[in-house]
Amino acid sequence: MIKPFNRRQFLMLGASAAAAPLLAACGAAGTAQLRAASFREQARADLMRYAAIEDGEFTIPAIPGNRIDRQFWRQVVDDPFGELPGTLVVDTPNRFLYLTLQDKQALRVGIGVGKQGFTWSGRATIQMKRRWPTWTPPREMIERVPELEKWAKGQPPGLDNPLGARALYIYQGGRDTLYRVHGSPEWWSIGTAASSGCIRLTNHDIVDLFERVPNGSPILVIPDNRFSLDTLA
């Protein structure tokens, strides 16, 4: 025989039923709050990635991170090339530089590359490193841009210097190729083909990379074969 609920049992059952959706709602709200907190934390980290940097006598200005395509932000990714750890790989066609890490990972940053006709490719070595380097334009560049004659003996270090906050000097067979991996005040040029052959990073990214890459590090620069003589004709 089924016994009917008494009044106390009925009230307890009703309270439990009413509490169930409230608990579910609390759980959903808690998850939403965690997601929001995680989002805020990530946004803060993103902001700090390109915040102003006090660097000796110079202050590197902040970069508005939302003005740089997110794919070009400094980040750890799966290594697409399989070079030995410690190798720099310049993916010229896709505008990325990779520093090969352990466990098939790589640190990737966005870069600006040489304009068509000014690119260089091959295997070489980072033979020298400089903080806040002096920039001396090659004679051929001065002939193309006569205004650069004033820097024939070198442009002093500074926020307007084309080599930026750091430079890695590329040597091949013991000889200076005259190509550099360097910082640039023109952060908006990342992702473009705008240089005279050098590999440019944001000043923030080159400061980070500089500490990770010792002298003698190998570098592989991959050519951009998207333009054939037929296409250029």
Side-chain angles (χ1 to χ4, degrees):
M1 178 178 179
I2 300 175
K3 294 183 179 179
F5 288 112
N6 59 37
R7 184 172 184 278
R8 186 168 179 274
Q9 290 172 320
F10 181 79
L11 290 173
M12 289 178 65
L13 181 63
S16 299
L22 288 176
L23 288 172
C26 287
T31 302
Q33 288 172 345
L34 286 173
R35 285 176 181 164
S38 174
F39 179 80
R40 287 194 298 271
E41 200 61 37
Q42 184 62 51
R44 275 194 292 270
D46 289 345
L47 187 64
M48 292 305 296
R49 185 192 314 261
Y50 295 114
I53 300 175
E54 295 291 336
D55 190 61
E57 60 181 301
F58 301 107
T59 299
I60 299 173
I63 296 174
N66 61 352
R67 297 286 301 279
I68 298 179
D69 192 321
R70 199 180 186 93
Q71 68 172 323
F72 295 126
W73 289 11
R74 183 170 68 245
Q75 56 193 292
V76 174
V77 298
D78 292 335
D79 173 27
F81 295 106
E83 294 289 322
L84 290 174
T87 303
L88 289 173
V89 180
V90 177
D91 182 0
T92 307
N94 295 304
R95 315 294 195 250
F96 293 126
L97 178 145
Y98 295 84
L99 172 61
T100 309
L101 306 175
Q102 300 286 347
D103 301 322
K104 299 182 179 180
Q105 298 285 289
L107 179 70
R108 189 182 78 186
V109 298
I111 57 174
V113 300
K115 293 175 283 193
Q116 187 64 28
F118 290 89
T119 56
W120 176 89
S121 62
R123 289 187 181 271
T125 304
I126 300 300
Q127 198 71 27
M128 189 168 65
K129 299 166 47 173
R130 290 288 183 270
R131 297 172 182 268
W132 292 105
T134 297
W135 176 64
T136 304
R139 177 50 55 184
E140 312 84 69
M141 184 180 291
I142 294 175
E143 290 172 0
R144 292 195 309 270
V145 188
E147 306 92 84
L148 296 179
E149 180 66 46
K150 61 182 177 180
W151 303 126
K153 294 184 178 179
Q155 181 177 350
L159 295 174
D160 294 329
N161 189 297
L163 291 184
R166 305 283 191 276
L168 309 178
Y169 294 71
I170 302 176
Y171 279 63
Q172 191 176 49
R175 300 181 62 181
D176 187 355
T177 65
L178 300 182
Y179 292 104
R180 317 284 184 242
V181 176
H182 64 84
S184 173
E186 299 178 353
W187 53 264
W188 54 87
S189 67
I190 299 304
T192 70
S195 78
S196 294
C198 289
I199 307 302
R200 61 171 65 171
L201 287 67
T202 66
N203 275 328
H204 292 71
D205 286 340
I206 195 64
V207 166
D208 177 84
L209 188 70
F210 187 89
E211 301 302 327
R212 301 174 187 269
V213 179
N215 281 333
S217 296
I219 180 169
L220 168 63
V221 180
I222 297 171
D224 189 342
N225 295 322
R226 290 176 296 178
F227 297 98
S228 66
L229 293 176
D230 292 338
T231 339
L232 292 174

